Structure formats: C-alpha cells, structure tokens
Amino acid sequence: MLMCRDLARIASDYIDDELGTAQKLSVKMHLMMCRHCRSFIGNLRASTDLVQAHSSGKPDPELVRRIDEQVAQALDAKKTDDFT
Amino acid sequence: METATHQSEEDILIQGLKSGNEADFQKAVRLYTPGMMAVGRYYLDNASAEETVQDCWVSVIDAIQNFEGRSGLKTWLHRIVANRAKNHLRKNKREVSADFSEALEPELANRFHPNGRWATPPSLRFDEDAESLMENGALSDCLDQHLTRLPETQRSALMLYEAHQHKSDDVCNILDVSASNLRVLLHRARQKIFLMVETFQETGEC
Ligand SMILES: [Zn+2]
C-alpha cells in the first residue's frame, strides 16, 4: 500500500500528470482517505503557482545596458559593412 | 485566439530582428534575457553566464537570418545559450554536479513516522490565490531569497519549467538532463519553496 512518505516522493509527478495509470490510481485512493496528503498536494501546487506568479522575470538592468550597447555597436558595424 | 495574437506578435518581432532594427533588439533583450540567464546559470557561474548571454545576443544579429521558426524564438535562444555554455564548460574542463539520488528533501523526509505516515503534517493554508499572495512584499522578498539560495541546477530547472513554461522535453534538451533527473530537480526545488512558504506563514519570518 502507498504510504504518505511514498506519496510525498512522487507528488510532483502526480501534479504534472507524469504518473502511469496504476500509480495515479493508488495516489487518488490514498488522497481520498488522507487529508494530510491532500493538503500536501495542495500546498505543493500552490507553491508552484507562487513561483509562476513571481517568475523573477526582471533582468539585471546593468546587464541589459551592456547588451544594448554591444548590440547597437554590432548593428552599426554591420550597416557600415553593407555599404562598403 | 490568445495564441494567435501571441504568435503574430512574435513574428513581427522576428521580422524586426531580421531587418536589424535596434528597438526590436532592445525589446527582445528585455523579454528573453531572464530565461537565457537561467539557462546560462545552470552551467556557469554568474559572470561567465552574463558574458555568454551577451555574446549570444551579438551572434543573434547574424544567426536570426537562418531562424525558420520551427521552434519558438525563446526555445531557439535558450538552445544557443546552452550550446555556448556547454562549450565554455568543455574548455574549462568543468562539469555540472547535482544530486539526483533522493526525491525527498531531508527537511521533509524527517517529518514522517517510521511507518511512513505523516508525523508533522503540512500546516500551510492557502486562502488566497498566488497573485494576491505575491502582493505581500515580505513574502515576495522571501521567495526571491530562497530562489537565489537554491542549487543552480534546481533553480534553472524550476525557472525554465515554471516561469518560462517550457515543456519537459525542451528543458531536458536545453539542460542536458534525463527526464527522470529533471523530475528530481523539479520536485526538490518545489519542496524547498513549499517549506519556505510554510515557515513564512507560521512565523511571519523568512
Ligand atoms: Zn497520506
């Protein structure tokens, strides 16, 4: 039988739907009987959503400035090349 | 509908890059650099990753002419960074090291009875959705800190999979890991984030 610890090991696979049919079924059975594991799955899912919402999508401004500069230089060089 | 709009926006950007429009490059740099850094940091230290990402952008000026759009622009850029970073590693004879042997975080593994049942069950309550939780500046800062402290391998896997919404196959390809090892990286990273949010809710501290 699937114990809580076993379920905790494969919880992400369950969330991402990466389990085989038999394993998925035994997780579902366990979840019906165990509120702690239901809460763990819910918590793990919510943590995942949190990372998505947070998504640290802001690049370092200093790095962006350097890249802009280099790209602008390279574009200029290319334009001069094309004319000669 | 949404994908159609998104698609054409990307197409317009690609056209701009192909014609060497500086404003389009600036736009693309802001949009794609965070993901490219996540790829770079998987293989390299921060300084080398930044250098690699910079070089990539310059090389994109020419390389974009051969971009056919079979993969999305994002995946294409991430592959360029991955290839360059791997070359850099080879030159410096380094290897990426990560622990794939255990799926459970030690801190979580401690929370079970010997019979495998929960001894210290999860205590987290999520009454709000993720968006409104993130409006809590302290929690957002705390998440930042913990994401920074994750091992590079776990963080990159998490970022590419969650924040940049890559498919598993793409992440495996970009990071050069097997599917089962990617599962371990993701699961370990998620557990750490869960433990962090739990502590934060219990104590109000990071
Ligand atoms: Zn259980």
Side-chain angles (χ1 to χ4, degrees):
Chain A
M1 216 188 86
L2 192 76
M3 298 306 291
C4 302
R5 185 169 37 213
D6 309 322
L7 189 144
R9 278 208 179 89
I10 56 172
S12 280
D13 297 340
Y14 177 73
I15 290 174
D16 296 334
D17 200 14
E18 298 271 350
L19 291 178
T21 321
Q23 241 182 340
K24 197 155 105 183
L25 192 67
S26 56
V27 170
K28 282 196 168 147
M29 301 260 289
H30 184 107
L31 289 180
M32 274 195 285
M33 299 178 303
C34 178
R35 73 188 168 89
H36 293 325
C37 282
R38 278 202 297 278
S39 128
F40 181 64
I41 292 277
N43 286 176
L44 210 58
R45 205 172 254 148
S47 310
T48 303
D49 291 347
L50 218 51
V51 174
Q52 272 181 19
H54 183 68
S55 90
S56 72
K58 287 145 274 163
D60 173 26
E62 175 54 27
L63 174 63
V64 166
R65 194 193 57 75
R66 286 203 309 269
I67 295 172
D68 281 350
E69 216 175 83
Q70 283 201 338
V71 167
Q73 269 177 21
L75 283 173
D76 276 350
K78 201 174 145 73
K79 268 182 211 136
T80 328
D81 268 4
D82 289 348
F83 280 115
T84 51
Chain B
M1 184 72 185
E2 203 188 32
T3 38
T5 334
H6 183 79
Q7 203 62 35
S8 65
E9 243 175 62
E10 189 172 303
D11 287 346
I12 293 165
L13 185 60
I14 292 165
Q15 280 316 312
L17 297 178
K18 284 191 174 177
S19 61
N21 182 317
E22 193 177 331
D24 283 321
F25 267 96
Q26 289 180 350
K27 190 175 162 195
V29 166
R30 278 151 189 78
L31 209 53
Y32 296 111
T33 297
M36 291 163 78
M37 277 303 291
V39 176
R41 288 294 273 124
Y42 179 82
Y43 295 103
L44 306 168
D45 62 83
N46 193 57
S48 310
E50 288 196 346
E51 209 176 290
T52 303
V53 169
Q54 276 182 64
D55 291 349
C56 281
W57 276 113
V58 173
S59 76
V60 162
I61 295 174
D62 285 323
I64 190 77
Q65 304 303 337
N66 303 319
F67 175 71
E68 286 166 353
R70 249 174 285 143
S71 59
L73 182 57
K74 179 178 68 182
T75 307
W76 182 73
L77 288 166
H78 287 180
R79 288 211 181 115
I80 296 181
V81 176
N83 286 335
R84 287 196 170 227
K86 277 185 252 180
N87 274 335
H88 192 286
L89 269 190
R90 243 170 262 139
K91 260 186 257 160
N92 294 280
K93 297 198 167 52
R94 271 189 51 229
E95 268 175 30
V96 175
S97 62
D99 176 17
F100 302 113
S101 56
E102 176 52 60
L104 277 187
E105 274 298 304
E107 219 183 307
L108 194 74
N110 286 338
R111 291 169 58 165
F112 296 92
H113 290 299
N115 68 9
R117 289 183 193 281
W118 285 100
T120 317
S123 68
L124 209 52
R125 291 262 164 277
F126 275 101
D127 305 323
E128 296 169 87
D129 59 29
E131 303 287 341
S132 32
L133 273 173
M134 272 299 105
E135 280 163 23
N136 178 341
L139 178 60
S140 176
D141 286 349
C142 185
L143 186 55
D144 251 343
Q145 283 182 41
H146 280 265
L147 284 172
T148 314
R149 260 184 262 147
L150 285 180
E152 295 306 339
T153 48
Q154 292 179 17
R155 190 174 66 212
S156 294
L158 192 68
M159 283 295 129
L160 293 180
Y161 191 80
E162 309 288 7
H164 298 281
Q165 305 270 300
H166 273 300
K167 292 195 196 71
S168 300
D169 291 354
D170 278 338
V171 183
C172 290
N173 197 304
I174 291 165
L175 302 185
D176 242 350
V177 290
S178 68
S180 61
N181 285 351
L182 174 64
R183 301 304 315 164
V184 175
L185 290 179
L186 280 175
H187 191 43
R188 293 286 294 255
R190 284 174 179 170
Q191 289 170 71
K192 287 216 185 78
I193 301 302
F194 155 73
L195 290 164
M196 170 231 117
V197 184
E198 193 184 45
T199 309
F200 187 87
Q201 271 200 350
E202 266 170 15
T203 65
E205 272 164 39
C206 187

